[in-house]
Amino acid sequence: MRGRRAPACYDADTRPATRGPPPIPLVRIERLELRLVRLPLVRFFETSFGRVHDRTFIVVTAHGDGEAGYGECVADAAPYYSGETTETAWHVIERFIAPRVLGVAFAHPREVYPALRAIRGHQMAKAAVEMAAWDLYARQQGVPLAAALGGTRSAIAAGVSIGIQDSLDELVERIRIELAAGYRRIKIKIKPGWDVAAVETVRAAVGSIPLMVDANAAYRLEDAAHLAELDHFDLMMIEQPLDYDDLTDHARLQRHLSTPICLDESIHSVKAAADALELGACRIINIKPGRVGGHAESIRLHDLCAARGVPVWHGGMLESGIGRAHNLHLSSLPNFSLPGDVAASRRYYAPDLVEPPIEVRPDGTIPVPDGCGIGVTIVAERLARATERQLDLRV
Ligand code: OSB
Ligand code: MG
């Protein structure tokens, strides 16, 4: 299986012949399949809110018109990164999202998110279903998802996110491994007690590599003077230093720092991003479709930032190959101008749920799959083995 590629989507003879005017495209989901899936991580991942050894997530399959589209819900088992969990997402999809999408004829997947307007929050639950609808739509159209989303590049620049380690030696060792694999920028997680000295050690060991830090909301405005010490290390940015729902204190902190602030957790909607930019709370934005409600909202966020000259990059949530493939396609839009946290499958799961696995090339780029939809094949038997619970929802 390894290395096998899905057929390119644009092969003329695999596209259905059409006669007369093209039919009005419809995405109509006849059945939604939810699976609660658990996969062990290849290596633990530690952030300021704790260490994880595995991930429990929901795989959504949207069936319609003889095709299937896939989405991955990035909510975690615990409500630490955001208020959502796998169980809240399951509940909200089953009770509130499914009834609003099943059997509805959408002219385009961008109509899915607005149809969920009555449901407040629950962006990750919404995104999982919305993204499955995009995959379904792209497969029905016979195009790669990137083409449906408006992507313009065939490969993306990859970076890695390196968790908190047991020692600084271990941290430097992990960074050397990732640099040798070709990754174009390194992000390290920080928290009080693992910050300035960690960055100093890394700079001393590996020199002027593109380097950034992510605090996952571990600091308070009172830490401004301490965080300003990071200004001496020429970091590309500091990601989400303050609280998950804060904008005002980030604006105050940004005035205190020369290092650009990048917001992650705080940007839960396009409006939050507009407010953050208006306030001067950040100079860079991390886009995760799960955080804003899916691909359509991510595109709006991407376009807003492009119009304001604000660079964006694609974040990661330790996704399996399903979410990872979605991220690759979205990352092909033009304003994703900085390397993201979209890295190779093998850093996370062995084996991944998909074939071929997503791999980084020696130049630090990852090609965007060119098959239809997300362009990777979900290995049914691996998905079945990892499934702990399953629910079928029908029209
Ligand atoms: O803050 O970007 C984050 C993982 C889980 C939750 C939040 C974050 C992360 C990462 C890892 O940084 C990114 C990845 O490698 O997928
Ligand atoms: Mg982050």
Side-chain angles (χ1 to χ4, degrees), residues 45 81 161 187 189 214 216 239 264 288 316-318 348:
F45 189 76
Y81 167 84
S161 174
K187 157 170 141 182
K189 293 290 189 178
D214 184 359
N216 286 111
E239 184 178 345
D264 174 357
K288 294 176 179 174
M317 292 291 287
L318 312 176
Y348 305 87

Side-chain angles (χ1 to χ4, degrees), residues 28-297:
R28 186 172 172 276
I29 301 172
E30 291 147 19
R31 180 162 70 88
L32 269 179
E33 186 184 293
L34 306 188
R35 287 167 178 268
L36 190 69
V37 170
R38 196 158 78 95
L39 281 182
L41 284 164
V42 166
R43 199 164 180 280
F44 71 82
F45 189 76
E46 185 172 326
T47 65
S48 60
F49 44 75
R51 185 176 283 198
V52 290
H53 297 271
D54 53 39
R55 249 193 92 234
T56 303
F57 54 98
I58 302 169
V59 173
V60 174
T61 313
H63 296 269
D65 201 21
E67 284 279 6
Y70 294 85
E72 175 171 342
C73 181
V74 297
D76 203 355
Y80 301 155
Y81 167 84
S82 88
E84 290 187 83
T85 69
T86 38
E87 295 297 344
T88 68
W90 186 282
H91 166 69
V92 169
I93 293 172
E94 178 182 358
R95 297 278 298 277
F96 301 101
I97 297 177
R100 287 175 169 82
V101 300
L102 279 170
V104 179
F106 294 107
H108 191 276
R110 74 171 75 87
E111 295 181 354
V112 173
Y113 184 80
L116 305 176
R117 200 179 138 74
I119 305 163
R120 293 190 178 166
H122 299 284
Q123 307 290 53
M124 294 175 176
K126 290 176 180 174
V129 174
E130 195 250 16
M131 293 163 80
W134 275 93
D135 182 29
L136 176 62
Y137 171 80
R139 289 175 196 255
Q140 286 177 345
Q141 297 295 300
V143 300
L145 177 60
L149 294 170
T152 53
R153 54 171 88 86
S154 59
I156 64 123
V160 282
S161 174
I162 299 182
I164 293 162
Q165 306 294 321
D166 288 328
S167 69
L168 292 176
D169 284 349
E170 186 72 34
L171 176 63
V172 170
E173 175 62 20
R174 306 297 331 162
I175 292 174
R176 290 194 205 281
I177 291 169
E178 305 298 6
L179 291 172
Y183 289 104
R184 293 196 176 184
R185 74 93 168 98
I186 300 290
K187 157 170 141 182
I188 65 168
K189 293 290 189 178
I190 59 167
K191 66 174 181 181
W194 182 273
D195 49 29
V196 178
V199 170
E200 191 170 18
T201 302
V202 171
R203 276 283 182 238
V206 297
S208 63
I209 58 163
L211 181 67
M212 60 172 288
V213 295
D214 184 359
N216 286 111
Y219 297 89
R220 312 171 64 83
L221 189 58
E222 295 82 79
D223 300 314
H226 178 66
L227 291 171
E229 290 178 45
L230 293 170
D231 280 342
H232 302 127
F233 299 99
D234 191 29
L235 298 174
M236 298 167 77
M237 68 196 90
I238 173 170
E239 184 178 345
Q240 195 72 38
L242 308 180
D243 226 350
Y244 77 98
D245 59 350
D246 174 78
L247 294 179
T248 315
D249 281 357
H250 277 111
R252 292 196 182 104
L253 179 64
Q254 182 66 90
R255 289 197 283 276
H256 212 80
L257 300 180
S258 59
T259 306
I261 290 177
C262 168
L263 289 178
D264 174 357
E265 283 91 327
S266 291
I267 308 299
H268 52 81
S269 65
V270 179
K271 175 67 163 65
D275 289 349
L277 297 176
E278 181 80 32
L279 280 166
C282 64
R283 296 185 192 145
I284 301 172
I285 288 179
N286 158 335
I287 296 183
K288 294 176 179 174
R291 209 189 52 225
V292 295
H295 282 310
E297 289 300 286

